[in-house]
């Protein structure tokens, strides 16, 4: 009986450890390592990257669906790869991002061309950090 229980336990441990999938993107400051080392895997967010590559697009005003105001006078960002638009209350000052606070995002199909953008967001939330998982904030 002891041998049978030990065998079942061993098989259970082997099964559990062999079925774990790992997605990894190492975070360093405001950057993710892109996982170019052999054997490194990560969850793709934008195309083949583990993050959206965001660049500033002026002032952004975030509106809920239906038109009511979520917040005014935030910083508008856009992904250079997929054109996702992100509006944050926090901004990039003196080489680092301040606390993001309220944020909203929406999928877009072209590059923004204005410096003042009213954005009806489809996703929104609050971030108490100066970074967001899956986003890389850049300044030109």
């Amino acid at each position: 009986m002891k041998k049978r229980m030990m065998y079942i336990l061993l098989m259970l441990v082997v099964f559990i450890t062999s079925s774990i999938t790992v997605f990894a993107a190492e975070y360093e400051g405001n950057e993710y390592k892109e996982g170019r080392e052999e054997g490194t895997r990560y969850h793709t967010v934008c195309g083949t990257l583990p993050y959206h590559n965001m660049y500033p697009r002026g002032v952004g005003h975030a509106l809920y669906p239906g038109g009511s105001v979520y917040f005014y006078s935030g910083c508008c960002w856009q992904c250079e790869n997929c054109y996702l638009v992100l509006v944050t209350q926090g901004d990039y000052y003196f080489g680092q991002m301040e606390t993001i606070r309220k944020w909203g995002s929406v999928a877009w199909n072209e590059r923004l061309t204005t410096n003042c953008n009213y954005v009806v967001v489809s996703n929104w939330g609050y971030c108490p950090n100066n970074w967001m998982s899956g986003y890389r904030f850049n300044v030109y």
Side-chain angles (χ1 to χ4, degrees):
M1 184 70 175
K2 276 186 171 182
K3 284 187 177 186
R4 182 174 286 175
M5 287 300 287
M6 191 62 106
Y7 178 74
I8 291 172
L9 182 62
L10 178 65
M11 293 304 289
L12 184 63
V13 169
V14 168
F15 176 74
I16 290 173
T17 58
S18 66
S19 64
I20 296 173
T21 304
V22 177
F23 294 104
E26 293 182 39
Y27 183 76
E28 290 185 1
N30 198 23
E31 295 187 5
Y32 282 89
K33 288 186 176 179
E34 295 183 24
R36 295 185 190 266
E37 297 174 19
E38 189 174 328
T40 303
R41 294 188 296 172
Y42 53 81
H43 178 71
T44 57
V45 173
C46 181
T48 59
L49 298 174
Y51 54 82
H52 288 285
N53 211 8
M54 307 302 285
Y55 284 91
R57 295 287 184 260
V59 176
H61 307 291
L63 307 173
Y64 286 113
S68 61
V69 176
Y70 182 42
F71 64 87
Y72 276 125
S73 299
C75 185
C76 189
W77 304 86
Q78 189 170 35
C79 178
E80 73 173 351
N81 302 322
C82 69
Y83 300 125
L84 176 93
V85 174
L86 177 72
V87 182
T88 61
Q89 280 187 318
D91 202 350
Y92 206 91
Y93 290 114
F94 304 111
Q96 79 176 35
M97 187 75 170
E98 67 178 5
T99 303
I100 291 171
R101 300 185 305 275
K102 288 183 179 179
W103 63 270
S105 68
V106 65
W108 213 256
N109 59 2
E110 61 188 4
R111 186 166 189 237
L112 295 175
T113 57
T114 61
N115 287 328
C116 185
N117 303 286
Y118 287 84
V119 180
V120 178
V121 297
S122 57
N123 300 298
W124 57 85
Y126 184 85
C127 179
N129 304 312
N130 66 347
W131 59 273
M132 288 177 68
S133 179
Y135 295 88
R136 175 187 283 176
F137 297 96
N138 300 289
V139 177
Y140 294 104

